[in-house]
């Protein structure tokens, strides 16, 4: 078995039909903390993608099709065991690829990958043995029953912000339903998807059930996958614009899609909230993973009575964050993913000033006395004073930044929060339970948290309205997407 840090990190290859496969074209994988090259990655050409899709098709019709739900579930638990066995290796690979603090990768990313396999293994077993496989309505003169089948070969395309968490969030239910997958992780974070191949081997998944192809989007691996006629469905997480491009691309072959896209999420903080809890919650909701979580709140609305003290409190939180080396336990703010993304975030910092914002803190690049100056760090940043029509209020920035505005009434707060083309998440802070329910039910989003943020139960529906996505995954919603009912009607 190749040792990940010894071999794979230096040369990350595609994984097709149970084998690591090299190629002629390579691209560099950078450490965002200091810009150094940590690996060379093999870019999959069209022939590699074709090979992976064919391997996935063969596997779909082979041993994998004969394995019943109980055994599939038990192998997925073994994948979870295999990730746990290599826990440190996964953590180090994720930290090196993303620059995220080691504390975050060890508490969130890798444990959630394990949980994704365990939850969907259990869910498919329980529901499959009870009612998921057959629906039998009480027909008067006919017996109807629907048998659920896998969709087939599923193309899984994922982003760089929570690489293994988001990849396994899709791979686990897809495999639980009996599909096979060809995954294309982000070109920025190819490591943990490749390491997962070893866990799949350990768990005894047949060759071809899990395949990894590396590369870029347009004119590269991503597009080869979405256009491939042998791919039966695409599940995608990433930018809304990319979702639109993929939709066009899959139209010719009419593939079902599940899209988890961008957000411009709002938080509403009422004066009756528990102030300290709201402040801590919002500090996470704005700055966690350097603001690179689709659920992060870049728009914060605070009731006027507590506006000044809240702005002051969040400023103190922002200034207390430690932009350290990702591998240090005390670090709580890593770099952004790439130089290109840092340029984008900094362009919004400049735009905010041009649009008339009042800078509360941050707005630039931190200064270091070491090689972090070659990394992609930016300062956590807070603005006030922008009109609601400003581009910085309308467009997703995806950095450690928020704008705070005051409101006077519940109706005004709801109207401002909903005034967006996105609709992923919202977070409401109040000690009035009635108000919590009332406001939450008026949010035009896929998920609303009350007095918390990013508190997850993996059985609940997850996804977005508007530009934030198509469909819902999570729990039975995932199992429904990754399978297809075949209804059989027998006349009695
Ligand atoms: P991105 O859309 O640029 O890339 C995502 C993936 O799509 C990558 O693997 C990329 O190579 C691939 N890709 C790009 N163009 C493609 C094309 N034309 N055809 C096929 N594949 C293509 O997104 P990103 O920059 O990696 O991630 C950040 C974005 O993802 C943000 O907008 C964020 O809000 C969103 N996101 C959403 C969720 C959610 O659950 N809603 C979760 C995480 C991230
Ligand atoms: O928690 C999840 O299941 C999920 N899909 C989170 C998405 C986070 C976005 O960056």
């Amino acid at each position: 078995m190749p040792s990940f840090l010894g071999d794979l990190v230096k040369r990350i290859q595609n994984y097709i039909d149970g084998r690591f496969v090299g190629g002629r074209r390579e691209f560099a994988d950078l450490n965002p903390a200091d810009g150094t090259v940590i690996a060379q990655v093999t870019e999959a050409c069209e022939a590699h993608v074709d090979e992976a899709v064919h391997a996935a098709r063969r596997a779909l019709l082979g041993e994998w099709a004969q394995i019943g739900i109980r055994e599939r579930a038990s192998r997925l638990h073994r994948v979870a065991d295999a990730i746990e066995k290599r826990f440190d290796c996964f953590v180090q690979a994720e930290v090196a690829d993303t620059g995220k603090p080691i504390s975050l990768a060890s508490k969130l990313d890798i444990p959630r990958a394990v949980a994704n396999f365990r939850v969907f293994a259990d869910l498919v077993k329980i529901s499959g043995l009870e009612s998921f496989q057959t629906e039998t309505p009480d027909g008067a003169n006919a017996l109807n029953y629907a048998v659920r089948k896998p969709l087939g070969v599923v193309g899984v395309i994922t982003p760089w912000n929570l690489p293994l968490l988001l990849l396994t969030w899709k791979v686990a239910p897809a495999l639980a339903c009996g599909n096979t997958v060809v995954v294309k992780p982000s070109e920025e974070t190819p490591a943990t998807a490749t390491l997962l191949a070893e866990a799949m081997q350990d768990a005894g998944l047949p060759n071809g059930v899990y395949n990894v192809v590396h590369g870029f989007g347009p004119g590269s691996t991503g597009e080869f996958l979405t256009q491939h006629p042998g791919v039966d469905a695409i599940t995608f997480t990433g930018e809304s614009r990319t979702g639109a491009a993929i939709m066009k691309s899959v139209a010719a072959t009419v593939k079902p899609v599940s899209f988890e896209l961008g957000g411009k999420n709002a938080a509403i903080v009422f004066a009756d909230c528990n102030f300290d809890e709201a402040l801590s919650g919002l500090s996470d909701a704005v700055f966690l993973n350097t603001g690179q979580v689709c659920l992060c709140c870049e728009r914060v609305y605070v009731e006027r009575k507590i506006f000044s003290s809240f702005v002051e409190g969040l400023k103190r939180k922002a200034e207390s964050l430690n932009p350290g080396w990702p591998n240090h336990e005390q670090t709580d703010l890593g770099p952004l993913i790439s130089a290109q993304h840092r340029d984008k975030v900094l362009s919004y910092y400049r735009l905010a000033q041009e649009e008339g914002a009042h800078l509360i803190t941050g707005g630039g690049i931190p200064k270091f006395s070491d090689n972090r100056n070659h990394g992609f760090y930016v300062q956590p940043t807070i603005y006030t004073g922008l009109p609601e029509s400003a581009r910085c209020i309308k467009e997703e920035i995806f950095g450690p930044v928020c704008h705070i505005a005051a409101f006077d009434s519940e109706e005004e707060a709801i109207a401002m929060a909903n005034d967006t083309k996105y609709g992923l998440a919202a977070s409401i802070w109040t000690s009035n339970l009635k108000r919590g329910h009332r406001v939450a039910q008026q949010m035009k989003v896929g998920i609303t948290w009350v007095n918390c943020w990013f508190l997850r139960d993996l059985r609940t529906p997850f996804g977005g309205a508007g530009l934030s996505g198509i469909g819902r995954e999570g729990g039975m919603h995932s199992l429904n997407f990754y399978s297809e009912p075949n209804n059989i009607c027998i006349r009695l």
Side-chain angles (χ1 to χ4, degrees):
M1 182 196 307
S3 132
F4 188 75
L5 288 175
D7 303 333
L8 284 178
V9 155
K10 295 197 179 103
R11 185 140 272 113
I12 295 179
Q13 298 186 320
N14 300 304
Y15 180 73
I16 300 173
D17 207 9
R19 286 177 305 115
F20 289 99
V21 179
R24 260 174 300 160
R25 277 175 37 179
E26 290 190 334
F27 61 93
D29 181 18
L30 302 186
N31 179 347
D34 58 9
T36 52
V37 175
I38 49 178
Q40 290 296 332
V41 188
T42 303
E43 182 180 353
C45 61
E46 203 160 357
H48 285 126
V49 174
D50 192 49
E51 220 183 297
V53 174
H54 279 101
R57 175 73 49 200
R58 284 193 302 277
L60 185 72
L61 305 173
E63 185 194 342
W64 193 233
Q66 310 308 320
I67 293 176
I69 288 184
R70 277 175 212 266
E71 178 57 20
R72 261 202 326 262
S74 115
R75 296 213 194 170
L76 293 185
H77 273 297
R78 275 164 29 204
V79 175
D81 295 341
I83 298 173
E84 281 178 330
K85 196 172 98 190
R86 298 170 167 76
F87 189 85
D88 291 343
C89 209
F90 272 103
V91 167
Q92 283 175 43
E94 206 71 302
V95 169
D97 250 4
T98 59
K100 70 177 63 201
I102 191 163
S103 55
L104 187 61
S106 356
K107 286 195 195 105
L108 173 70
D109 296 70
I110 310 307
R112 248 305 293 276
V114 171
N116 287 341
F117 281 103
R118 297 212 188 281
V119 164
F120 286 109
D122 288 344
L123 196 64
V124 80
K125 193 162 86 176
I126 295 163
S127 52
L129 298 178
E130 285 170 2
S131 60
F132 181 57
Q133 272 217 311
T134 54
E135 290 170 29
T136 51
D138 178 22
N141 55 0
L143 170 68
N144 278 281
Y145 66 97
V147 181
R148 283 205 165 257
K149 301 270 180 63
L151 288 174
V153 176
V154 178
V156 181
I157 302 178
T158 49
W160 44 258
N161 60 328
L162 305 167
L164 191 70
L165 185 163
L166 292 172
L167 183 114
T168 53
W169 172 241
K170 291 173 176 298
V171 167
L175 297 185
C177 289
N179 301 284
T180 57
V181 296
V182 179
V183 310
K184 195 212 87 63
S186 167
E187 56 274 30
E188 306 284 1
T189 52
T192 46
T194 314
L195 189 50
L196 185 62
E198 288 183 18
M200 297 284 179
Q201 284 178 341
D202 253 24
L205 265 73
N207 291 344
V209 169
Y210 176 80
N211 305 276
V212 187
V213 286
H214 292 294
F216 303 84
S220 176
T221 323
E223 209 168 77
F224 301 149
L225 193 58
T226 56
Q227 288 177 348
H228 199 293
V231 172
D232 298 297
I234 291 288
T235 180
F236 166 74
T237 304
E239 274 197 37
S240 303
R241 252 185 321 209
T242 311
I246 291 179
M247 219 164 164
K248 268 195 195 151
S249 170
V250 300
T253 45
V254 197
K255 300 186 205 321
V257 292
S258 173
F259 284 171
E260 297 178 353
L261 308 177
K264 187 73 182 178
N265 310 304
I268 304 180
V269 185
F270 288 96
D272 64 6
C273 70
N274 178 318
F275 190 85
D276 291 339
E277 282 179 15
L279 213 47
S280 294
L282 260 292
S283 177
D284 279 348
V286 176
F287 301 120
L288 191 84
N289 205 34
T290 316
Q292 302 168 116
V293 178
C294 59
L295 308 160
C296 277
C297 297
E298 293 185 356
R299 297 181 297 138
V300 180
Y301 299 103
V302 179
E303 197 166 351
R304 197 172 303 279
K305 275 184 254 178
I306 59 163
F307 181 76
S308 306
S309 49
F310 195 86
V311 170
E312 188 50 38
L314 201 61
K315 172 178 189 275
R316 276 198 305 275
K317 291 274 185 199
E319 290 172 356
S320 73
L321 293 171
N322 168 21
W325 283 100
N327 254 319
H328 291 179
E329 285 293 342
Q330 304 75 12
T331 296
D332 43 25
L333 193 80
L336 294 170
I337 188 68
S338 62
Q340 192 191 11
H341 190 51
R342 184 179 65 177
D343 290 347
K344 174 184 158 185
V345 171
L346 288 175
S347 78
Y348 278 100
Y349 284 8
R350 280 192 300 277
L351 179 65
Q353 306 278 19
E354 286 159 26
E355 290 186 309
H358 175 53
L359 177 66
I360 301 295
T361 187
I365 297 177
K367 293 272 170 293
F368 300 105
S369 54
D370 57 25
N371 282 341
R372 278 171 294 169
N373 285 323
H374 302 298
F376 313 130
Y377 289 83
V378 294
Q379 290 175 323
T381 295
I382 300 174
Y383 294 106
T384 58
L386 283 174
E388 285 297 297
S389 57
R391 278 182 56 204
C392 287
I393 302 288
K394 296 288 175 217
E395 297 171 15
E396 182 186 50
I397 302 172
F398 219 54
V401 53
C402 74
H403 177 264
I404 314 183
F407 68 85
D408 294 300
S409 70
E410 194 176 299
E411 294 70 29
E412 187 193 6
I414 293 169
M416 289 196 290
N418 280 338
D419 186 14
T420 170
K421 292 200 165 95
Y422 291 99
L424 190 57
S427 170
I428 294 162
W429 297 83
T430 176
S431 53
N432 178 337
L433 198 56
K434 269 193 186 166
R435 171 184 271 154
H437 284 287
R438 191 169 59 231
V439 175
Q441 288 180 26
Q442 292 177 77
M443 290 292 105
K444 293 185 183 157
V445 294
I447 185 162
T448 302
W449 280 288
V450 180
N451 295 327
C452 57
W453 173 79
F454 203 0
L455 179 60
R456 294 283 287 114
D457 179 325
L458 306 189
R459 296 165 298 184
T460 58
F462 186 92
L467 283 187
S468 292
I470 296 181
R472 294 290 181 274
E473 297 200 33
M476 292 306 294
H477 298 271
S478 297
L479 299 189
N480 281 324
F481 175 73
Y482 293 107
S483 65
E484 209 158 42
N486 168 12
N487 191 76
I488 296 160
C489 174
I490 300 175
R491 189 171 156 204
L492 297 177

